[in-house]
Amino acid sequence: MSFEFIKRLPTPDEIRKEYPLPEELTRLRERRNEEIRDVLTGKSDKFLVIIGPCSADNEEAVCDYVTRLAKVNEKVKDKLVLIPRIYTNKPRTTGEGYKGIIHQPDPEKKPDFLAGLIAMRKMQIRAIAESGLTAADEMLYPENWRYVSDILSYVAIGARSVEDQQHRLTVSGFDVAAGMKNPTSGDFSIMLNSVYAAQHPHSFIYRGWEVQTSGNDLTHTILRGSVNKYGRSLPNYHYEDLNTLISLYNERNLKNPACIIDANHNNSDKQFKQQVRIVKEVMHSRKLNHDIRQMVKGVMVESYIEEGCQKIGDGTYGKSITDPCLGWEDSERLIYDIAEYE
């Protein structure tokens, strides 16, 4: 075999027992989960804003950011539900580069998965305790779900994972909202098939167990743009794209039709400042069309304390070491602008 088994890692139950979420924060998470559920089911007219760093690489900076976000949340909570992005796994197109805090709790050192799991738990729990906000993360590795299943309120399935059977089946066992991104090809039918699969019950093998799931009715779509055969970005957040998605939803027997617009990635061609314009166009489309307003339940924005990005080791506090992000001032202003639209 070409695998080298280095060391056995603690099970999710072992990690959760050693680094538990306090009971009062568990109750807080339950309230937040219900608030998000109400938005996705149409019971609430509030709008989701999933916002934060491309990757959560530094506990101090991430918790600083989330605490700032909590202060803004107090001013807009009658209209918006702010969900901080605390992304602890980072997908890499070529497999190279920083893969997130679970891989490298210190981006300048070698991978250490045990230290990474501990760092992830401590950061997520601290962020909830200091801000009162529960977070979103991307589920890059389905077998890792139970390490975070008690602390997250939202999970995204990435463009390169959405066609994978294990991702779809694992989401069917979630008790939180899960967004399925369109694949990099842009094919809406693949994304909707993924939603269908995750909304239904399944039996499968998970972490060495035979398991059965009941289906996740909060599974929905995320539009993040696509890439054509020449490698050029194609956006899919425009009015016409949203109407097309509504038509495709209407052809399928899916629960709680809903969509989140990812304003970065191929929608912005990774031009991070374009996120402001893109979000405002989406909000305008919601004003023009009642059906779009009913379907588009939120936006996703990459944002950090300092705008842009830097190389690992450059040392600028609160600046992304992966994709470039909006800075804090622009992000705060954008949140208030979104609230004005509502």
Side-chain angles (χ1 to χ4, degrees):
M1 293 179 66
S2 60
F3 283 87
E4 179 185 353
F5 288 80
I6 298 168
K7 62 182 174 183
R8 178 189 173 276
L9 294 172
T11 66
D13 285 343
E14 289 168 343
I15 285 284
R16 287 164 60 157
K17 184 176 181 180
E18 189 169 356
Y19 301 94
L21 184 68
E23 187 175 340
E24 65 273 17
L25 298 187
T26 298
R27 291 193 297 269
L28 184 153
R29 175 180 174 268
E30 289 171 354
R31 293 193 297 271
R32 288 267 296 171
N33 289 359
E34 192 63 29
E35 188 176 24
I36 294 167
R37 167 176 281 278
D38 287 348
V39 174
L40 291 172
T41 60
K43 185 177 179 180
S44 167
D45 290 330
K46 291 182 181 181
F47 192 71
L48 305 179
V49 180
I50 304 162
I51 185 167
C54 174
S55 57
D57 60 286
N58 179 283
E59 180 181 320
E60 291 301 323
V62 168
C63 290
D64 181 352
Y65 177 93
V66 176
T67 300
R68 297 181 189 202
L69 199 63
K71 294 175 182 176
V72 176
N73 185 66
E74 284 302 308
K75 299 177 183 178
V76 299
K77 63 182 180 181
D78 58 328
K79 295 181 177 181
L80 308 180
V81 179
L82 302 188
I83 305 173
R85 286 172 51 109
I86 303 182
Y87 277 35
T88 57
N89 292 291
K90 173 64 182 173
R92 309 305 308 203
T93 303
T94 64
E96 296 181 342
Y98 177 68
K99 298 182 179 69
I101 199 168
I102 288 182
H103 283 255
Q104 291 171 271
D106 185 335
E108 297 185 55
K109 295 181 180 179
K110 292 181 179 180
D112 185 335
F113 289 92
L114 175 57
L117 288 169
I118 294 169
M120 175 275 296
R121 288 284 301 183
K122 290 175 67 177
M123 177 174 63
Q124 292 274 13
I125 293 170
R126 176 182 169 186
I128 299 170
E130 293 184 358
S131 70
L133 302 178
T134 49
D137 199 351
E138 179 171 344
M139 190 182 70
L140 188 57
Y141 308 107
E143 63 271 21
N144 285 355
W145 163 242
R146 285 189 53 76
Y147 286 111
V148 293
S149 60
D150 61 327
I151 52 180
L152 296 180
S153 284
Y154 186 95
V155 177
I157 304 301
R160 297 162 189 82
S161 302
V162 74
E163 297 186 64
D164 177 64
Q165 183 84 337
Q166 191 75 359
H167 281 82
R168 293 176 173 190
L169 301 188
T170 303
V171 172
S172 74
F174 282 10
D175 64 345
V176 298
M180 300 292 202
K181 291 194 175 187
N182 63 263
T184 54
S185 68
D187 191 327
F188 281 14
S189 65
I190 289 173
M191 172 179 64
L192 289 164
N193 287 342
S194 188
V195 172
Y196 182 93
Q199 287 193 354
H200 287 75
H202 297 281
S203 298
F204 57 102
I205 296 171
Y206 185 75
R207 296 188 62 90
W209 284 78
E210 177 185 342
V211 300
Q212 185 168 347
T213 60
S214 57
N216 181 355
D217 64 342
L218 297 183
T219 310
H220 56 276
T221 58
I222 301 175
L223 297 183
R224 49 85 74 201
S226 63
V227 182
N228 68 12
K229 63 182 180 180
Y230 303 109
R232 294 173 182 163
S233 291
L234 297 175
N236 58 13
Y237 60 86
H238 295 307
Y239 186 90
E240 295 78 11
D241 299 303
L242 302 179
N243 271 328
T244 297
L245 182 56
I246 289 170
S247 297
L248 292 171
Y249 255 125
N250 289 338
E251 294 173 5
R252 290 162 169 81
N253 183 26
L254 294 170
K255 301 172 185 175
N256 305 316
C259 178
I260 303 293
I261 308 300
D262 179 348
N264 212 11
H265 298 101
N266 290 118
N267 269 333
S268 69
D269 196 21
K270 294 192 178 181
Q271 303 300 307
F272 67 94
K273 283 186 174 289
Q274 292 297 315
Q275 293 181 102
V276 174
R277 177 190 59 78
I278 291 166
V279 167
K280 289 182 177 180
E281 180 178 326
V282 171
M283 302 307 293
H284 183 61
S285 294
R286 291 179 83 244
K287 274 192 173 293
L288 292 176
N289 186 311
H290 175 74
D291 290 338
I292 290 177
R293 182 177 181 86
Q294 291 296 106
M295 181 187 70
V296 177
K297 302 291 189 180
V299 291
M300 187 174 286
V301 177
E302 291 196 318
S303 154
Y304 212 173
I305 296 170
E306 299 294 335
E307 72 172 27
C309 62
Q310 62 182 332
K311 293 180 179 179
I312 293 173
D314 283 358
T316 301
Y317 176 81
K319 191 171 187 177
S320 176
I321 59 171
T322 48
D323 290 348
C325 298
L326 277 183
W328 174 251
E329 289 183 6
D330 287 339
S331 302
E332 184 178 16
R333 190 179 308 114
L334 177 59
I335 293 169
Y336 293 139
D337 287 344
I338 294 171
E340 285 297 313
Y341 274 98
E342 290 299 294

